[in-house]
Amino acid sequence: MHPLRVLLVVSLAIAAAVGWGFGALAVSAGRGEVESVVLAVAVFAVFLLPWSGVYLWAVRRASDLDELTMRTRQLVAGIDAPALADRTYHGELDDLGRAIAELRAQLNRQRVTYVEHRAAMDQIVASLGEGLLAVNGEGKVVFANGRVAEMFGVSGSLTGRSFLEVVRRQSLVGAFSRAFAGAASTDRITLGTDPDERRIEMRVFPVASSREIAAVALFIDMTTIERLQRIRKDFLDDFSHEVRTPLAGVRSAAETFEHGGLTAAQEEQLRHVMLRQLARIERLVNDLSELNRIESGELVLQRQAVSLRPLVEELASELRQRSGDRDVRIRIDGEALAVADPSRLQQIVNNLLDNAWKHGGGEIAVALSREEDQSVLRVSDRGEGIPPGELARIFNRFYRVDKSRSQNTPGLGLGLAITKHLVLAHGGSITAVNRAGGGATFEVRLPAG
Ligand code: ADP
């Protein structure tokens, strides 16, 4: 029974006993029966009334308290209880009701902030270029962003699955075991197969501050960075290789000068060697900075409609003069109008004619035409052509088909790289193919005028 009810029953019993006692006393004092009963009832009522008041007061507060307790429990359990301020309570419990109502409002605000915060974090993590995988102490995935699924080629929800099932890499087991033991580790792994091979840096570290997440793995795609590092290394290797030969020539000439005892003719010859080698270094530096300027988009093109035929004819006649005694025959067919920077277009055509003459012998054919919205220029020669395996690399900087054979020729292997980037800067394309009857054909496509 509720303590209040016990109290009421006891109060009733006491009031009845006291009333009955007064009645009995009245009888023994010789009072009339009716008078004694009235007296007993009056005493009973006087005793009972305040107790009943207290009882009613307590019962109402108890029910208020029960309701407040129930609503507070709902709040704690995360159920959004109906507004607590929707009714008033009795006496001081009203203050408690208002305090709980404020607590509810604050909790609701915090819940909204948490949900927003969580949504923003989810969005940020989902849009990361890196893969993020969080696992619990049992190795089950607690969280994984889309990049992880993409990198490891897994579909469906990853949450709740074993991380091994997701990453399928034994090397990760060690990294996660170390993270579970409190140590971070970094490793590089290869995913996929050539040509879609990706180099991934994997950082696995423990998360001591969370009970839900035991370790986190971060997967960073290093493929582009590794490729750039390789390009930089190759460039530096090639550059030092190219500079070393002329520098050695200059040094040995300078040393011979220092020893003295040279005839005027020998001195003249040495001076000539030094100037030639210095000119080669100068050309190398100029070509490289030119290439850099074109590649980095610094070049400003003064585009206009250019008639290709007169331009090719002029350059062909210059080449005939330059070739001196060598027999150069250049045939020009067709005509085309291109939208290009005239001086840069000259540079493109000149490089191709020069190569055809240097590497392909004296018989050169230039064909000009318009194909849809493009102007096409084809420069063909009748030389040895380009070894088929090397066609893909012909436009790389410092590329020469036979480096040892080319050591004494003036080529630096930068002409075609410059040509390609000039064509690309014009929004065009360039390709090289071998002709069926021998020799090479370089095809340039530019926007037509
Ligand atoms: P280079 O200054 O050596 O000519 P390029 O970049 O112009 O540099 O050419 C790169 C290499 O491509 C040349 O060394 C040569 O081996 C090859 N090549 C270029 N044009 C031709 C061609 N018409 N026929 C055969 N090989 C060529």
Side-chain angles (χ1 to χ4, degrees):
M1 206 194 300
H2 196 283
L4 281 174
R5 294 228 168 80
V6 176
L7 198 65
L8 181 71
V9 171
V10 172
S11 307
L12 272 170
I14 293 171
V18 174
W20 183 82
F22 268 89
L25 273 176
V27 170
S28 62
R31 300 283 176 155
E33 207 169 284
V34 175
E35 202 183 345
S36 297
V37 169
V38 169
L39 183 69
V41 170
V43 170
F44 173 74
V46 165
F47 259 79
L48 192 64
L49 264 179
W51 280 109
S52 303
V54 168
Y55 175 75
L56 284 177
W57 180 88
V59 162
R60 285 168 77 178
R61 268 151 186 77
S63 92
D64 279 0
L65 265 178
D66 281 351
E67 189 176 330
L68 283 172
T69 310
M70 187 263 291
R71 290 188 178 196
T72 313
R73 282 215 177 101
Q74 283 180 332
L75 270 187
V76 172
I79 304 165
D80 187 19
L84 285 151
D86 59 353
R87 53 160 290 191
T88 50
Y89 295 88
H90 299 98
E92 57 280 8
L93 284 187
D94 207 33
D95 289 343
L96 183 61
R98 271 199 300 277
I100 294 175
E102 275 165 28
L103 188 68
R104 170 184 174 271
Q106 204 169 340
L107 261 175
N108 276 346
R109 274 197 301 274
Q110 279 177 0
R111 250 182 226 141
V112 170
T113 313
Y114 171 77
V115 169
E116 279 176 6
H117 197 72
R118 181 72 205 243
M121 284 304 287
D122 283 355
Q123 207 178 342
I124 292 168
V125 170
S127 55
L128 276 181
E130 289 82 23
L132 190 74
L133 177 79
V135 301
N136 64 16
E138 292 156 24
K140 294 266 190 304
V141 175
V142 177
F143 174 84
N145 68 356
R147 212 45 199 112
V148 172
E150 210 178 287
M151 278 179 180
F152 292 94
V154 199
S155 53
S157 168
L158 306 186
T159 314
R161 285 158 80 170
S162 155
F163 78 89
L164 256 179
E165 208 184 302
V166 176
V167 298
R168 286 167 291 169
R169 287 283 177 303
Q170 209 56 38
S171 58
L172 265 170
V173 180
F176 270 105
S177 313
R178 282 192 293 280
F180 292 151
S185 53
T186 303
D187 205 352
R188 283 217 180 163
I189 53 173
T190 305
L191 297 180
T193 46
D194 201 36
D196 300 319
E197 197 176 273
R198 316 292 305 164
R199 290 283 295 152
I200 307 291
E201 183 168 303
M202 170 185 97
R203 294 180 196 164
V204 186
F205 48 89
V207 182
S209 56
S210 166
R211 264 182 297 161
E212 198 192 359
I213 299 169
V216 164
L218 201 58
F219 301 97
I220 305 161
D221 195 336
M222 303 295 284
T223 317
T224 312
I225 294 173
E226 278 195 7
R227 193 171 57 84
L228 290 176
Q229 282 171 342
R230 214 173 29 248
I231 289 174
R232 195 185 62 148
K233 185 186 169 299
D234 289 351
F235 170 78
L236 286 174
D237 284 352
D238 286 338
F239 179 75
S240 348
H241 176 81
E242 293 299 330
V243 176
R244 204 167 287 134
T245 316
L247 270 184
V250 174
R251 167 180 271 276
S252 92
E255 280 169 358
T256 316
F257 256 119
E258 216 170 56
H259 286 124
L262 297 169
T263 64
Q266 282 169 325
E267 278 188 5
E268 175 61 31
Q269 196 192 350
L270 277 181
R271 251 196 303 275
H272 183 69
V273 168
M274 282 167 92
L275 285 175
R276 199 157 41 91
Q277 301 295 18
L278 283 173
R280 187 175 168 90
I281 296 173
E282 201 172 35
R283 202 150 50 84
L284 181 74
V285 172
N286 287 344
D287 279 3
L288 274 178
S289 74
E290 163 97 332
L291 188 57
N292 197 30
R293 233 158 54 82
I294 306 168
E295 252 186 307
S296 60
E298 275 173 44
L299 191 74
V300 183
L301 297 171
Q302 312 287 338
R303 287 171 216 254
Q304 61 185 75
V306 186
S307 192
L308 280 172
R309 189 163 183 130
L311 184 136
V312 175
E313 277 167 354
E314 192 189 321
L315 292 172
S317 92
E318 276 176 23
L319 176 60
R320 277 191 208 97
Q321 283 168 22
R322 236 191 357 262
S323 66
D325 53 350
R326 267 182 72 173
D327 184 21
V328 182
R329 268 165 294 139
I330 306 174
R331 214 182 97 182
I332 305 165
D333 286 318
E335 165 65 309
L337 204 65
V339 178
D341 183 317
S343 68
R344 296 301 178 175
L345 191 56
Q346 237 178 16
Q347 206 176 342
I348 293 168
V349 178
N350 206 25
N351 275 347
L352 295 178
L353 287 179
D354 226 45
N355 273 351
W357 168 56
K358 270 194 308 191
H359 307 288
E363 214 166 303
I364 304 167
V366 181
L368 303 168
S369 59
R370 181 183 174 131
E371 288 177 20
E372 290 171 8
D373 55 351
Q374 291 180 321
S375 284
V376 185
L377 164 109
R378 290 191 185 88
V379 179
S380 309
D381 60 62
R382 293 189 171 273
E384 284 178 19
I386 300 146
E390 312 277 314
L391 275 169
R393 298 192 295 144
I394 197 103
F395 298 102
N396 291 356
R397 63 184 78 200
F398 295 121
Y399 176 79
R400 284 177 308 212
V401 169
D402 180 356
K403 294 217 174 202
S404 59
R405 192 190 63 187
S406 312
Q407 205 57 254
N408 297 320
T409 64
L412 293 168
L414 291 171
L416 280 181
I418 292 175
T419 307
K420 177 183 96 174
H421 285 286
L422 279 175
V423 172
L424 293 181
H426 279 89
S429 63
I430 181 166
T431 46
V433 288
N434 281 318
R435 293 175 67 240
T441 297
F442 285 82
E443 181 187 278
V444 175
R445 287 176 177 268
L446 291 168

